[in-house]
Amino acid sequence: MTLLIKLSVLISRLCQFIGGISLIIIVLTTMTDVVARYIFKLTGGEFGFTVKGSVEIVSYFMLFALLAAFAAFVERSQIIVDVFTQKMPQSIKGYMMGVFMLGFFAIGIVFAWGLYESAIDAMEFGKVTQDLRISMMPIYLISALLSALLAIRSLIESINIFKTGEFFDAEETGA
């Protein structure tokens, strides 16, 4: 069980890193694009540098950031409504959380499989992005990998909850 917990923590840290890098790329791309457009405006069109495909870059890295964040923090992803759960025993809350984690496992598997199939299709049919004209295959593969990491972490967290009864409870931490 300790090995599974260590694997879950490792996957979480990897996904936090991927999400953080994605957010940095989003911010840098947006800042560069805004500054370039402002300089273009100030120079009356003399300075023609723009960030080609900035909308695509931001949108695909936002996809990576969201998938990575979901995988990194899946054990904290449940919204517990006090009205329904405040009087419930911890054991029932734990059982419910374990079931929700199994649901996220299923969602991760479905996402990973669908994105993997999309990657194969993109490779086979030569699908490319609209502005940058880069292959969609690596974008789909990275998304599939992040979805698979979500599935793995969800399964590990579910096993841990069912085995130990311990889970992240926002009601207790005040988060």
Side-chain angles (χ1 to χ4, degrees), residues 134-151:
I134 60 173
S135 174
M136 288 293 295
M137 194 258 312
I139 294 168
Y140 287 135
L141 277 181
I142 292 169
S143 299
L145 172 69
L146 291 170
S147 297
L149 292 176
L150 165 67

Side-chain angles (χ1 to χ4, degrees), residues 1-173:
M1 192 66 205
T2 307
L3 180 65
L4 287 179
I5 303 269
K6 286 181 181 179
L7 178 62
S8 180
V9 169
L10 178 69
I11 292 171
S12 176
R13 288 190 180 143
L14 174 67
C15 289
Q16 288 174 39
F17 178 75
I18 292 169
I21 294 296
S22 296
L23 289 175
I24 289 169
I25 291 170
I26 290 168
V27 170
L28 290 176
T29 302
T30 304
M31 285 175 42
T32 305
D33 193 37
V34 168
V35 168
R37 288 172 191 257
Y38 188 68
I39 291 172
F40 180 80
K41 181 181 173 186
L42 286 178
T43 61
E46 293 294 318
F47 182 77
F49 175 75
T50 58
V51 180
K52 184 177 179 185
S54 62
V55 173
E56 277 185 358
I57 293 168
V58 168
S59 59
Y60 291 127
F61 278 97
M62 182 62 76
L63 171 66
F64 300 154
L66 290 172
L67 287 173
F70 193 26
F73 300 106
V74 70
E75 75 278 5
R76 297 174 182 225
S77 62
Q78 288 303 307
I79 298 172
I80 299 175
V81 181
D82 289 342
V83 174
F84 298 115
T85 61
Q86 67 184 352
K87 303 245 187 226
M88 282 186 184
Q90 283 295 103
S91 60
I92 293 176
K93 285 185 198 178
Y95 179 76
M96 288 173 58
M97 187 64 154
V99 170
F100 285 130
M101 287 294 119
L102 287 176
F104 287 137
F105 167 72
I107 288 170
I109 291 294
V110 169
F111 281 2
W113 182 257
L115 288 163
Y116 173 76
E117 285 185 337
S118 294
I120 299 301
D121 286 348
M123 187 173 62
E124 186 176 330
F125 298 112
K127 284 178 70 176
V128 295
T129 62
Q130 186 174 0
D131 294 337
L132 297 174
R133 310 296 297 161
I134 60 173
S135 174
M136 288 293 295
M137 194 258 312
I139 294 168
Y140 287 135
L141 277 181
I142 292 169
S143 299
L145 172 69
L146 291 170
S147 297
L149 292 176
L150 165 67
I152 293 167
R153 278 212 73 225
S154 298
L155 183 61
I156 291 170
E157 292 299 323
S158 180
I159 291 168
N160 185 41
I161 291 168
F162 286 129
K163 194 162 193 113
T164 66
E166 297 175 9
F167 63 97
F168 178 80
D169 191 352
E171 289 176 340
E172 288 182 0
T173 61

